[in-house]
Amino acid sequence: MRASAESNGGGADDDAAQVMGDGRHARHVTLKDVAELAGVSVSTVSLVMNEKKNARIAVKTQERVNRAIRELHYRPNALAQNLVTGTSKFIGLLTDSIATTPFAGQIIHGAQDRAWKQGYVLLIVNTEGNEDIERQAIRMFLEYKVHGILYSTWYHHEITLPQSLKDMNTVLVNCYSDTENLISVVPDEFNGGRTAAKMLLEQGHRRVAFINTTVESPARTGRLAGYRRALAEQGIAEDPSLIVDAEPTQEGGRAVAEVIRASGATGVCCHNDRVAMGLYDALRNRGIMVPSDISVVGFDDQEVIAAHMLPPLSTVALPHYELGASGVDAVLAPPVHLDDHRVLIACPAVHRESISALD
Amino acid sequence: MRASAESNGGGADDDAAQVMGDGRHARHVTLKDVAELAGVSVSTVSLVMNEKKNARIAVKTQERVNRAIRELHYRPNALAQNLVTGTSKFIGLLTDSIATTPFAGQIIHGAQDRAWKQGYVLLIVNTEGNEDIERQAIRMFLEYKVHGILYSTWYHHEITLPQSLKDMNTVLVNCYSDTENLISVVPDEFNGGRTAAKMLLEQGHRRVAFINTTVESPARTGRLAGYRRALAEQGIAEDPSLIVDAEPTQEGGRAVAEVIRASGATGVCCHNDRVAMGLYDALRNRGIMVPSDISVVGFDDQEVIAAHMLPPLSTVALPHYELGASGVDAVLAPPVHLDDHRVLIACPAVHRESISALD
């Protein structure tokens, strides 16, 4: 390959040649290289490559082209294939900051796995909310003829859709827009909250506190509604003093520890694992032990935290991997008959050691 | 656009047509559509598009083609451009599992940011160590004519390079191979360990413990050597009883808490933030407070943990973002005059509240 590359220093390849200057990296072989070696035109090579039977190319010419292809190790070109079909094997993934948000990287993972299995490759752009990058990214996706676009955010909330995505095959992941008719793949917050409360209720707890987030979001309203449903299903009257708001961080959990202690709750649903982690610390400083003195349930099942707390945290998983995978499914084959354009992904219970049974 | 798409139901577009079946998503306009509208051949359109002055196409024909391009909203096609130059604006990123490892997702972030600034797009494949996927991914990268490949692992260790990457413009990120001459962009473990120890020594600590990882790696050997250097620079004799091994998790930190307490250390360097988190818990259960009774330094500066511990953890950052960004730099312009083919990325001190000054 090197020899042929060196004999072909075309101007268009200056850029490539520069990177490969140390001799280790061979230049990509082009159709033109094959055509020159075979002594035919580029279109002839192209016709032979694409096996157009009706092109009536002499068998000898075909053999010459095929020999040149083998000699030069020319590879079938996905870009050329995409050009011919006018579509591509790309799916664009536009994110605000999920690549930088630890647990939500699983959205990328799920999308990439599923796309790969379907023969597609993800083009990922992380905009950090910068509208300029967003516009450029969308233009790039169009230029690469992506098959569809996943637009994803790191936490579940409403978005304003960029204008240029409106006419595309766009699926929203972990976000939604009530003004658009686009499919949204989102966590089932209601049943997630219900599951968290049930994990405590099923162990005999009747006084169950609920630490909600201060951030307005479907997680805030949906999980609270699910908690209320779970209480109602057990015939337990709601006690407003058991519902408190906190910042969704370790600091938030620590800040409400005293309120939780004073409430007489025997169990508490935390908005997320980080809140549970802060609550653990502040309770321990007060000599209150989990789960013997109080039971705790988290939310998220955040890697490197939930399974490794003392005691390991029982929690409800945010299904990030599944959000990404289902997003790709929706791009490739849009589901029909959806309520409110939503594909709801279940948030499953993860049982560990932070819940004790009450008699 | 829809009208033109509907009048052009070519077989090659079945796949695209299916996804766009709900009428919201317009089919991509192809060169063929333009050619048909202009009443010329596809090659003529291509020649006009590429402004080949020597093609001597009649001005009237050129105008007809340009009018068709405008009418159909045909977009300049990055794929076509890549085909013409034989290279592309893609960089491949092959990872073992960094997309699924919370903090290392910053490698993707750094690589994506830097690539984007240079006009490149990342193609990311996460192999989870599966050699079959790895082979397919590399073949895909070749088909898309990537400009170069980043091969990255989630923690810094030696790898066996896939055979097919040897002849490519490959840069290793967060890993290395002593049998290959490839450039490796890796964290400067030695100076990272030295920095951690210095954070304690500079506050007057003389008995500084070192909790090392049990995992054989450059982090294990490099950071310990850096710790030793920092002690030597202060004229402090090494005390082997202050160096202990632990699993690099919260559980590991808890397991060695008693040894650390008994050692009489006034400060301790932890292999990572998770070890520090476990150590915090176990020390607190023994009534030992950080930092008044003992000072603690972590490593990694892991998001959602380090800054939110009680007290917030002073630590040394693993520069994942910078590893990804520098990897892209090395793919686009290989640095020369490297020692041992290594580009070392600094691990900076992050000062918080887990260190107290000794008199």
Side-chain angles (χ1 to χ4, degrees), chain A residues 29-62:
Chain A
V29 178
T30 65
L31 274 185
K32 196 166 154 242
D33 299 326
V34 176
E36 281 181 8
L37 184 62
V40 299
S41 74
V42 168
S43 352
T44 303
V45 175
S46 180
L47 290 170
V48 173
M49 297 274 305
N50 290 314
E51 293 175 16
K52 298 211 172 158
K53 302 298 182 201
N54 58 353
R56 294 207 199 144
I57 295 166
V59 174
K60 279 204 174 170
T61 309
Q62 291 186 33

Side-chain angles (χ1 to χ4, degrees), chain B residues 24-45:
Chain B
R24 194 176 67 239
H25 313 304
R27 201 190 61 136
H28 293 298
V29 178
T30 65
L31 275 185
K32 194 165 155 244
D33 298 327
V34 175
E36 282 182 7
L37 186 61
V40 299
S41 73
V42 168
S43 354
T44 303
V45 176

